[in-house]
Amino acid sequence: MTLRANWSYPTAIRFGAGRIEELPEACRAAGIFRPLLVTDRGLADLPITAQAMDILRRAGVEADLFADVDPNPTERNLGIGVVTFKQGRHDGVIAFGGGSGLDLGKLIAFMAGQTRPVWDFEDIGDWWTRADADAIAPIVAVPTTAGTGSEVGRAAVLTNAETHEKKILFHPGMLPVQVICDPALTVGMPPAITAGTGMDAFAHCLEAYCSPVYHPMGDGIALEGMRLCKEYLLRAYRDGGDIEARAQMMTAAAAGATAFQKGLGAIHALSHPIGAHYDTHHGTTNGVVMLPVLRFNRPAVEEKLSRAAAYLGLAPSFDGFYDFAAELIAGLDIPTTLDGLGVTDPDFGILCASALKDPTAGTNPVALSAENILPLYRSCFQD
């Protein structure tokens, strides 16, 4: 099978190894002639970033690089990025990297033309309508990990540096106009990052599928995304040069982000505060809290996960699915408790309050409440 195609759902996607060479063409298709390439500090000096900048230069595209991006980006990173965008007279953004680079790149393109504070566009009700849609700069997205799927998303996550809360910002105009999914860019990912980003993709598919929101098309995409994770995540983890596994996991990541328009759930509601307060890797944190959340949600998802287990070729039961998830987490060497991530002496009051306010809590199959959130969080700290 040749893993190369052009997709127009949910946006224009150029998929296949080596397609980073089409970056100048993708910029032109998006109406970008002087892009700002936004990535994180860890990627800034790596060969894949130099390659992308060289491809642009050889095609006569004037591009600048912005890499003042924290692993959990804050409004400080955003503010500096917007100033850089304006001072450089850029007309669009290439969001390049994992979740942090993709999300901050999208937010820079979004906020460069807005006059209100970024927090006015949090994903609450119709707050997105406050934005001037005509002032959003076009975005080309190039993922270098297979996890967040932010390249096909209309939202971005930003950490409030003062409150240490992760906020989801939303606007349809943040959906990239062009996407290049080149699995060859992920070959150099270390095993631990492969595991963490892969668990993020799997968590997106799992939570989207379990969300009680009615969206059968989203369910179908989430199911296939879980199957791809089942078949290829451990392969990519064990052999980083397995280009087929890398490609299939890049597809799974895009599937998860497409499906979670349905909603997410308690995995993310618990993970976001942990990442904001303790700076843990988001996808890895999702993996740590996944099993406690599955046990918590069992009364509401048992039948649905039994059907998913059958599709995945497992024993058609909740236990069949749960055992598979546990084996996957163990196979990726992900800790079984948050203590194993170095989270010690947690402030449960702050964590619980943040989790209950997180937008992802609203679509959890079992409603999160002041009564049940503390026991759920505590279960993530003990075997």
Side-chain angles (χ1 to χ4, degrees):
M1 182 191 305
T2 300
L3 298 177
R4 181 183 176 95
N6 293 338
W7 298 326
S8 57
Y9 179 76
T11 189
I13 303 172
R14 302 161 188 249
F15 188 97
R19 300 199 72 175
I20 188 62
E21 292 288 342
E22 298 175 29
L23 184 55
E25 182 184 332
C27 286
R28 287 191 291 269
I32 301 173
F33 301 94
R34 185 171 171 76
L36 179 66
L37 190 148
V38 178
T39 193
D40 62 73
R41 295 187 190 93
L43 278 176
D45 296 323
L46 293 185
I48 57 173
T49 307
Q51 177 192 13
M53 294 296 288
D54 185 59
I55 289 169
L56 292 168
R57 180 189 57 77
R58 286 191 279 107
V61 179
E62 294 184 38
D64 291 326
L65 177 69
F66 176 76
D68 190 358
V69 181
D70 294 328
N72 290 296
T74 68
E75 71 273 25
R76 185 194 72 84
N77 302 136
L78 176 59
I80 297 172
V82 168
V83 170
T84 302
F85 182 91
K86 291 179 177 178
Q87 289 181 342
R89 302 172 66 89
H90 297 287
D91 59 358
V93 165
I94 299 171
F96 187 93
S100 56
L102 294 174
D103 278 8
L104 198 76
K106 288 160 60 177
L107 283 170
I108 289 171
F110 173 68
M111 287 301 297
Q114 306 304 319
T115 57
R116 301 178 68 135
V118 65
W119 309 122
D120 282 1
F121 307 110
E122 189 176 353
D123 189 14
I124 297 174
D126 65 353
W127 284 19
W128 65 274
T129 61
R130 298 169 170 177
D132 180 353
D134 294 332
I136 302 172
I139 303 160
V140 171
V142 184
T144 63
T145 66
T148 70
S150 186
E151 66 273 10
V152 296
R154 304 170 298 165
V157 177
L158 192 70
T159 299
N160 186 316
E162 292 185 9
T163 64
H164 297 284
E165 291 180 310
K166 285 194 175 185
K167 301 287 188 179
I168 298 176
L169 293 311
F170 169 83
H171 194 282
M174 272 199 280
L175 179 68
V177 180
Q178 290 273 316
V179 175
I180 294 178
C181 282
D182 184 341
L185 300 179
T186 70
V187 166
M189 274 198 302
I193 301 300
T194 299
T197 54
M199 283 308 298
D200 197 23
F202 183 63
H204 289 161
C205 294
L206 170 60
E207 292 211 288
Y209 180 72
C210 290
S211 166
V213 173
Y214 179 72
H215 198 324
M217 291 176 286
D219 287 347
I221 293 169
L223 270 175
E224 180 62 4
M226 285 192 282
R227 187 191 69 80
L228 292 174
C229 291
K230 175 179 178 289
E231 298 296 326
Y232 295 101
L233 177 49
L234 282 174
R235 272 179 55 176
Y237 177 67
R238 292 167 179 163
D239 179 5
D242 186 335
I243 196 66
E244 180 187 11
R246 291 295 195 186
Q248 298 287 19
M249 283 307 303
M250 188 164 269
T251 303
T258 302
F260 75 52
Q261 293 184 34
K262 280 187 65 186
L264 290 167
I267 291 174
H268 279 76
L270 298 183
S271 179
H272 282 157
I274 292 291
H277 286 274
Y278 299 97
D279 208 27
T280 59
H281 184 272
H282 171 64
T284 305
T285 312
N286 283 345
V288 175
V289 305
M290 181 176 289
L291 297 180
V293 170
L294 280 173
R295 295 192 297 268
F296 176 80
N297 281 332
R298 180 169 186 160
V301 301
E302 185 155 8
E303 180 180 349
K304 198 164 191 180
L305 284 183
S306 296
R307 295 199 301 272
Y311 180 77
L312 296 176
L314 306 167
S317 64
F318 175 90
D319 289 333
F321 187 94
Y322 182 92
D323 291 345
F324 153 69
E327 290 170 6
L328 178 62
I329 291 166
L332 295 169
D333 300 310
I334 289 175
T336 56
T337 68
L338 289 172
D339 307 70
L341 283 185
V343 181
T344 57
D345 299 319
D347 188 327
F348 283 111
I350 291 176
L351 293 178
C352 290
S354 296
L356 289 173
K357 289 191 293 183
D358 195 280
T360 63
T363 49
N364 193 62
V366 175
L368 297 179
S369 68
E371 289 72 32
N372 62 30
I373 187 67
L374 179 57
L376 176 57
Y377 244 134
R378 286 190 181 279
S379 70
C380 299
F381 284 87
Q382 50 190 293
D383 290 315

